[in-house]
Amino acid sequence: CGPTGSAQNCTSGGIDAGQDKPVDGSGDAVSNAMSPPTPGWYCFRAEYTPGAGSKYLATSHTNSTTECFQVTKHNPSIVTFTDQSVSAGNAIEDSATLSGGFNPTGTITFRAYGPNDATCGNAAIFTSDPVTVSGNATYGPVSFSPAVAGTYRWIASYGGDANNNAIDGGAGTLGLQLYRTVGE
């Protein structure tokens, strides 16, 4: 049963985990493996169907403390690319590679800071339109033309989706910054 927001007994419903399994001589049976489709809590319910002429009754069992597991979102990563030097008034651009996600969808937004804003502590001077994500891949380029010479920093942020956590390339996150030098 699932997904749900917490571990709970699975008393009805759910998805069949596969073909019936025989009970071995010690009273054990092992279900087929399953691949949960989305993050959340899932719990197993075992249903016993006795053979013809058996003295045992049909029953089912579930236990939220021992038969449940949590499927979590993936933590993808995002990396921007190499330095670029241009003259003021010419376009600078950025692309980013999203990797490690589970069939990621959603969007990536690129923000540029500068000139000479080493911590990205001021407001972005450029924010791209959201770039649509359809899998682990390279996205962009996006570009804009700064009018003032200096060093500019890009931060690319992935917004996440149902199966993947967001990556906020927040101010000062050096791993997500791309430096661009604009000369006079």
Side-chain angles (χ1 to χ4, degrees), residues 23 80 84 101 149 158 160-161 183:
V23 176
T80 56
Q84 171 188 13
Y158 169 60
D161 64 15

Short mmCIF file of all heavy atoms in Angstrom, two decimals, residues 23 80 84 101 149 158 160-161 183:
data_model
loop_
_atom_site.label_atom_id
_atom_site.label_comp_id
_atom_site.label_asym_id
_atom_site.label_seq_id
_atom_site.Cartn_x
_atom_site.Cartn_y
_atom_site.Cartn_z
N VAL A 23 4.18 -21.23 0.75
CA VAL A 23 4.72 -21.17 2.10
C VAL A 23 5.65 -22.37 2.26
O VAL A 23 5.27 -23.51 1.96
CB VAL A 23 3.58 -21.22 3.15
CG1 VAL A 23 4.15 -21.24 4.56
CG2 VAL A 23 2.64 -20.04 2.95
N THR A 80 27.77 24.07 -13.50
CA THR A 80 27.90 25.04 -14.59
C THR A 80 29.28 24.91 -15.21
O THR A 80 30.11 24.15 -14.72
CB THR A 80 27.66 26.47 -14.09
OG1 THR A 80 28.56 26.74 -13.03
CG2 THR A 80 26.24 26.66 -13.60
N GLN A 84 34.66 32.60 -19.24
CA GLN A 84 34.53 33.25 -20.54
C GLN A 84 34.87 34.72 -20.34
O GLN A 84 34.46 35.32 -19.36
CB GLN A 84 33.10 33.09 -21.04
CG GLN A 84 32.75 33.88 -22.27
CD GLN A 84 31.26 33.81 -22.58
OE1 GLN A 84 30.47 33.37 -21.76
NE2 GLN A 84 30.88 34.26 -23.74
N GLY A 101 19.51 12.63 -11.21
CA GLY A 101 18.08 12.66 -10.91
C GLY A 101 17.39 11.41 -11.43
O GLY A 101 17.94 10.68 -12.26
N ALA A 149 31.88 46.67 -17.10
CA ALA A 149 32.99 45.71 -16.96
C ALA A 149 33.06 45.20 -15.53
O ALA A 149 32.68 45.88 -14.59
CB ALA A 149 34.31 46.38 -17.34
N TYR A 158 17.87 24.20 -9.88
CA TYR A 158 16.85 23.26 -10.35
C TYR A 158 15.71 23.26 -9.35
O TYR A 158 15.92 23.13 -8.14
CB TYR A 158 17.46 21.86 -10.49
CG TYR A 158 16.46 20.76 -10.72
CD1 TYR A 158 15.63 20.78 -11.83
CD2 TYR A 158 16.35 19.70 -9.83
CE1 TYR A 158 14.71 19.77 -12.05
CE2 TYR A 158 15.44 18.68 -10.05
CZ TYR A 158 14.62 18.72 -11.16
OH TYR A 158 13.71 17.72 -11.37
N GLY A 160 13.27 21.03 -8.84
CA GLY A 160 12.80 19.76 -8.32
C GLY A 160 11.48 19.33 -8.94
O GLY A 160 10.85 20.05 -9.71
N ASP A 161 11.05 18.12 -8.61
CA ASP A 161 9.77 17.57 -9.06
C ASP A 161 9.34 16.49 -8.07
O ASP A 161 9.92 16.37 -6.99
CB ASP A 161 9.86 17.06 -10.50
CG ASP A 161 10.82 15.88 -10.67
OD1 ASP A 161 11.22 15.26 -9.67
OD2 ASP A 161 11.17 15.58 -11.83
N GLY A 183 35.40 42.66 -19.86
CA GLY A 183 36.39 43.73 -19.94
C GLY A 183 35.79 44.98 -20.57
O GLY A 183 34.69 44.98 -21.09
#
